[in-house]
Amino acid sequence: MALAKGAPESGAAANLVAPQAVAFWRDERKRGILAQIVVIALLAGFFWFLLRNFLIKQELSGAPPLSLYFLQDVAGFQLSFSLFPLTLDSPIGRLIAAGALNTLIAAFFAGIIATFLGLIVGIARLSKNWLISHIAATYIEIIRNIPLLLQLVFWYGGVLTALPKPKDSISLFEAVFLNIKGLFLPMPILQEGVGWFFMSIAVCIGLAIVIGRWARARQMATGQQFPTVIVNTAVIVLLPSFVFILLHDPIGWEFPIKGAFNFKGGLTVQPEMTALIIGIGISTAAYVAEIVRAGINSVSHGQSEAAHALGLKSSWTLRLVVLPQALRVIIPPMISQYLNVVKNSTLAGFIGYADLFAVIGTSQNQTGRAVECVIILMVFYLTISLIISTIMNVYNKRAALVER
């Protein structure tokens, strides 16, 4: 039955209230979207202004347009160290690639030194032994308060120059020689069948990972431990060794031979590279040690007491209880330290090491392509930084504590 006109509605119909429109300036979500659009537009306009101004200045000055074709030009200069052969007729792009590889090698080994040395010093800083604790604290305070450039000059000019001359080289089994000209090592030579040898190593590493995961799942289910370290070591060592013998030495060695003035052949590690790796590694280790100390201190002391109450030794408590929980605090700042290792390698030019920064500087002076060289440098360091950050963030997510 229809209601009379103007009669009041009753029941559920009375509770239906038409939604009122919210003004645009009162909607927080819409205001946020508008603010983001405005900021993006302002940034795009700013960068467009800079780019347009740069192109106009380039045209007025008569400079050639931006191009990367100069990478094909003959370099006309040589590098003091390179993993692949270079000549004076090599193109600039090849020398830049060699410089980039030199940077990555130095940063990789310096990062390894910083990680392990920083971990040891950070743990020693918390030792109950007064002497060990204060030695670690002294190391940290001294290294952190001396500029890195001075440390590099010290290692290169004060330590490595004190090494003996080539005729009085320090020898190890007549295969490794150390003198003022560098460290001379046997160089591996890949021969027939080396692919199968490397394949066996890859298979054994994969098998070790499977065994490790199975042992962890077994321990979580039954509480029984499995000798994972011993078994995996045997798997990784014994099977590739058997394949190596079966293939009749797929890897040969070229040993350094003493010449009239220096050693010939083999693999040479220059003093400049050694000074850079040691200097950056030891300097960064002091910061890593403080990160490790802070991470361990962030773990409740009750965790250690509970582990000791269960009968775990101090070394087991540190490795199985404290460090896994401290990783959630240690890993994020470690990302910055690994990035600093790569960026600090730009100081290599001060001690004569041919890293990417030094090669780019020489190429810029040779060609006059300052903008292109700076862009190459920025893209390289940005790419490496993003790769390191991505890898460390993935590891951080895996190492983070999962709450139930």
Side-chain angles (χ1 to χ4, degrees):
M1 181 177 179
L3 295 174
K5 185 178 181 180
E9 297 181 356
S10 60
N15 296 327
L16 297 176
V17 180
Q20 297 180 356
V22 181
F24 178 81
W25 58 86
R26 295 182 181 274
D27 192 330
E28 183 177 354
R29 179 173 174 274
K30 294 180 179 179
R31 291 203 312 269
I33 294 175
L34 178 61
Q36 295 179 41
I37 294 174
V38 171
V39 171
I40 292 174
L42 290 176
L43 289 176
F46 175 71
F47 285 111
W48 170 249
F49 168 77
L50 293 180
L51 179 61
R52 182 173 179 273
N53 185 58
F54 166 74
L55 294 176
I56 292 176
K57 294 294 183 181
Q58 283 279 100
E59 185 178 356
L60 292 177
S61 63
L66 296 179
S67 173
L68 295 178
Y69 286 110
F70 76 97
L71 297 177
Q72 303 175 2
D73 296 342
V74 175
F77 63 94
Q78 185 65 279
L79 301 185
S80 58
F81 175 78
S82 175
L83 287 182
F84 46 84
L86 296 173
T87 64
L88 293 176
D89 297 329
S90 298
I92 294 177
R94 187 175 176 84
L95 269 71
I96 290 178
L101 186 58
N102 291 349
T103 297
L104 294 177
I105 292 173
F108 176 77
F109 287 105
I112 292 177
I113 294 175
T115 301
F116 287 98
L117 181 60
L119 179 62
I120 295 173
V121 175
I123 296 174
R125 181 71 178 84
L126 299 173
S127 174
K128 296 180 181 180
N129 187 298
W130 183 90
L131 181 60
I132 294 177
S133 175
H134 280 72
I135 289 177
T138 303
Y139 162 79
I140 292 172
E141 293 302 323
I142 291 177
I143 295 299
R144 292 181 67 186
N145 288 283
I146 296 179
L148 177 57
L149 182 57
L150 291 182
Q151 297 184 43
L152 295 179
V153 172
F154 166 77
W155 286 107
Y156 180 65
V159 176
L160 297 181
T161 54
L163 292 173
K165 295 181 179 180
K167 63 179 181 179
D168 301 321
S169 299
I170 301 173
S171 174
L172 180 62
F173 304 115
E174 294 299 325
V176 178
F177 301 91
L178 178 64
N179 56 52
I180 195 173
K181 294 295 184 72
L183 178 65
F184 299 86
L185 305 169
M187 184 173 64
I189 301 176
L190 305 182
Q191 300 179 8
E192 185 179 358
V194 71
W196 291 103
F197 175 66
F198 287 143
M199 186 179 300
S200 67
I201 294 177
V203 170
C204 290
I205 292 176
L207 183 59
I209 294 174
V210 172
I211 293 175
R213 292 184 175 180
W214 170 81
R216 192 179 301 113
R218 177 175 177 265
Q219 182 176 356
M220 293 294 295
T222 63
Q224 298 179 357
Q225 292 186 346
F226 184 78
T228 308
V229 176
I230 298 176
V231 173
N232 283 345
T233 302
V235 168
I236 295 176
V237 173
L238 295 181
L239 183 57
S241 300
F242 175 75
V243 174
F244 187 87
I245 296 174
L246 191 64
L247 294 173
H248 303 290
D249 297 337
I251 299 179
W253 298 93
E254 179 186 351
F255 291 90
I257 300 175
K258 189 174 183 180
F261 301 99
N262 204 349
F263 287 86
K264 298 179 180 180
L267 181 63
T268 304
V269 180
Q270 288 189 325
E272 293 83 3
M273 173 186 281
T274 306
L276 182 68
I277 293 174
I278 294 176
I280 295 179
I282 290 180
S283 176
T284 309
Y287 296 90
V288 173
E290 285 294 274
I291 294 173
V292 172
R293 181 182 67 86
I296 293 176
N297 284 335
S298 68
V299 179
S300 173
H301 189 62
Q303 298 287 324
S304 301
E305 293 178 345
H308 291 152
L310 292 174
L312 292 179
K313 296 185 296 185
S314 298
S315 58
W316 289 11
T317 300
L318 179 64
R319 182 170 60 91
L320 301 176
V321 178
V322 177
L323 281 180
Q325 297 183 69
L327 284 177
R328 58 189 172 89
V329 178
I330 294 174
I331 294 177
M334 282 292 293
I335 299 176
S336 299
Q337 294 305 320
Y338 287 136
L339 297 180
N340 287 337
V341 167
V342 178
K343 291 182 286 188
N344 288 337
S345 64
T346 55
L347 297 174
F350 288 95
I351 57 175
Y353 181 63
D355 72 321
L356 178 64
F357 191 79
V359 175
I360 285 290
T362 306
S363 301
Q364 174 182 331
N365 294 333
Q366 292 279 88
T367 62
R369 297 279 186 171
V371 177
E372 292 89 336
C373 289
V374 171
I375 290 175
I376 293 174
L377 200 62
M378 292 173 61
V379 170
F380 172 80
Y381 283 105
L382 177 62
T383 303
I384 297 302
S385 298
L386 291 177
I387 292 174
I388 294 175
S389 298
T390 302
I391 294 174
M392 291 299 295
N393 283 323
V394 171
Y395 180 70
N396 183 35
K397 186 177 296 184
R398 291 175 60 91
L401 295 179
V402 180
E403 298 182 356
R404 295 182 180 178

